[in-house]
Amino acid sequence: MSPESLSQWLCDLAQLTIASVHPDNLFAEQLPAPGRKTLVVGAGKASAAMAAALERAWYQQYPQADISGVVVTRYGHAAQCEKIEVLEAAHPMPDNLGEQAAKRMLASVEALGEEDLVLALVSGGGSALMSLPAPGLTLQQKQSINKALLRSGAPICEINTVRRHLSAIKGGRLAAAAHPARVVTYLISDVPGDDPTLIASGPTLPDNTTAADALEILLRYQINLEPEVRAHLEAATESPRPDDAGFARDQSVMLAKAADALEAARSAALAAGVEVRVLGDDLEGEARELGAAHAAMALDVQEELRQPLLILSGGETSVTVTGNGRGGRNVEYLLGLFDGLKGAPGIYGLAIDTDGIDGSEDNAGASFVPDDWTKMQSQGLQPTTYLANNDAYSFFAELGNLIVIGPTRTNVNDFRAILVLPVVDN
């Protein structure tokens, strides 16, 4: 096959993985019996598609039982619903529309009784999309801390620990407001390890972390704290705990996760006669450093190959921002990989965010073929220069290698694929 055909095969494989974790077919036989009143709430990049899929499945199973509610998703990620209202707000930096959506969700569940049912649709991105500050704090304070944490290189588990303890809705507070109604939470995981309490900062699940944990994280990353923020955390107003009796009847259902997407890719590659090595669905760390490490691995395994090998991984890397360029963690990973390979023949790479948006740009990620190293040199581009400026988006734009697919309306985080062909002896 030509380099172009192999690159297209990787792109097709990425699309297949996204389809495997799309909400459209995830609700079959997953629905509880209706409550006296059944209310839907939700937040995340996949929440609108989850709401549309839930509506279809619900009325097929319970044609006489009405549902209603409201979910919030990222701008451009909406889906058509008949009974559930879909709102849009900003991500990754929260805005006042996300704050208003959170207020509406809290208000909608506060008068429910023991015979009522809440269906919560939770997916990655929900933390920013329903950013309701704790009493005494402002949205501007949360925005400032969120921006600083995103630039610090902190892993998502630590970022969401802070978010939970500065919020009036996260860390189980939405469910606590709904009790004594029963709450069933449907999740699409975008976090390494698939801990349900970390997805969208766990608005309907009890919290194992403390305010002291959040304060320690902020101090360790040297995040500037206004007096009100420090005072709030030092007062140790905790989230609902796992032993809270109000959660006894609640349930959570994991609909999709990164491991499911990787398994779909693995199965497709094996069917095509390609060997597969899955490095894991929960890889973290500095994006460019992980890319460089994977380059060394690919070069090492290539020496012993007798047939093509596909190296797969998922998870969520971090980017410590020191420059002022454009780029997300997937293109930064890919540029670290590309620079480490230095045009090694027979090695192809792709990295995308499964939600279709890499950070805050318009691309899902990018890909490369071995000949792109020569193309890069002819254009006078230097990977190290672009990495120093956190400008991987511009680098791959110059090569014409950005992958732009638009919002996918699902989200199991990063999908990375390296195709390694055997060395051909001359």
Side-chain angles (χ1 to χ4, degrees):
M1 296 177 68
S2 68
E4 293 75 18
S5 297
L6 291 170
S7 181
Q8 185 60 52
W9 182 77
L10 282 181
C11 290
D12 292 343
L13 195 68
Q15 291 280 18
L16 181 150
T17 66
I18 290 169
S20 73
V21 291
H22 194 276
D24 279 351
N25 300 308
L26 299 179
F27 281 97
E29 302 177 2
Q30 299 271 18
L31 300 178
R36 178 183 57 188
K37 177 179 181 180
T38 301
L39 185 72
V40 179
V41 294
K45 299 173 190 175
S47 66
M50 293 171 77
L54 171 66
E55 276 192 353
R56 291 191 296 271
W58 183 266
Y59 283 108
Q60 287 175 1
Q61 190 165 339
Y62 304 117
Q64 305 303 316
D66 277 341
I67 56 173
S68 62
V70 59
V71 301
V72 60
T73 192
R74 182 175 180 167
Y75 294 122
H77 291 241
Q80 183 63 44
C81 294
E82 299 296 328
K83 301 289 187 178
I84 302 167
E85 185 178 0
V86 177
L87 305 176
E88 292 180 294
H91 181 281
M93 289 301 297
D95 65 4
N96 63 329
L97 293 180
E99 183 179 21
Q100 295 305 312
K103 288 180 179 178
R104 285 191 57 185
M105 279 184 252
L106 269 181
S108 72
V109 302
E110 285 177 342
L112 298 178
E114 188 172 353
E115 297 179 7
D116 297 321
L117 174 67
V118 175
L119 302 177
L121 310 179
V122 179
S123 62
S127 287
L129 291 165
M130 53 174 183
S131 188
L132 183 60
L137 304 182
T138 67
L139 179 62
Q140 290 71 28
Q141 288 169 329
K142 291 200 69 176
Q143 288 171 328
S144 176
I145 290 172
N146 190 60
K147 182 177 181 179
L149 282 170
L150 289 173
R151 292 176 65 89
S152 73
I156 190 62
C157 61
E158 294 184 340
I159 293 174
N160 281 359
T161 293
V162 173
R163 286 167 165 170
R164 285 196 294 276
H165 291 282
L166 300 180
S167 175
I169 194 169
K170 302 181 181 76
R173 292 178 177 87
L174 179 57
H179 294 152
R182 183 184 177 212
V183 180
V184 178
T185 302
Y186 294 99
L187 299 144
I188 293 181
S189 174
D190 71 327
V191 298
D194 303 317
D195 181 346
T197 67
L198 297 182
I199 304 167
S201 300
T204 56
L205 298 165
D207 187 11
N208 285 307
T209 66
T210 66
D213 295 330
L215 182 58
E216 186 278 328
I217 291 166
L218 290 168
L219 294 176
R220 176 156 37 91
Y221 287 100
Q222 301 180 337
I223 306 299
N224 182 53
L225 299 182
E226 295 186 29
E228 297 87 352
V229 175
R230 182 184 285 271
H232 173 77
L233 294 175
E234 289 178 342
T237 303
E238 302 295 0
S239 315
R241 311 304 293 171
D243 58 359
D244 188 317
F247 292 92
R249 295 195 306 137
D250 291 357
Q251 178 187 3
S252 62
V253 180
M254 187 68 72
L255 293 177
K257 54 189 183 300
D260 301 326
L262 293 178
E263 176 56 29
R266 188 187 75 88
S267 296
L270 290 174
V274 178
E275 289 188 4
V276 181
R277 179 179 299 181
V278 179
L279 302 180
D281 59 22
D282 57 354
L283 274 60
E284 297 181 275
E286 194 70 27
R288 68 179 68 184
E289 294 174 4
L290 187 66
H294 286 181
M297 178 192 306
L299 291 169
D300 186 53
V301 300
Q302 189 181 40
E303 296 179 2
E304 306 297 328
L305 284 185
R306 294 295 177 266
Q307 68 181 79
L309 171 70
L310 181 68
I311 301 173
L312 298 172
S313 65
E316 181 171 2
T317 59
S318 304
V319 175
T320 302
V321 180
T322 57
N324 58 6
R326 302 174 67 188
R329 62 180 182 268
N330 283 284
V331 287
E332 182 137 335
Y333 160 88
L334 200 71
L335 188 50
L337 175 69
F338 184 72
D339 186 47
L341 292 172
K342 301 193 184 316
I347 303 181
Y348 301 71
L350 174 147
I352 63 166
D353 193 324
T354 55
D355 70 5
I357 305 295
D358 188 19
S360 58
E361 300 293 348
D362 59 356
N363 64 313
S367 64
F368 65 78
V369 302
D371 290 346
D372 284 325
W373 187 263
T374 301
K375 182 179 179 181
M376 173 205 77
Q377 292 175 320
S378 70
Q379 294 180 219
L381 306 177
Q382 290 291 337
T384 53
T385 301
Y386 285 83
L387 283 170
N389 198 35
N390 299 114
D391 200 19
Y393 176 99
S394 298
F395 180 88
F396 287 110
E398 291 286 346
L399 287 180
N401 288 12
L402 293 175
I403 296 174
V404 180
I405 57 177
T408 65
R409 296 170 178 82
T410 192
N411 180 25
V412 294
N413 242 320
D414 303 341
F415 172 77
R416 299 177 289 264
I418 306 168
L419 179 62
V420 186
L421 304 183
V423 175
V424 178
D425 295 327
N426 292 324

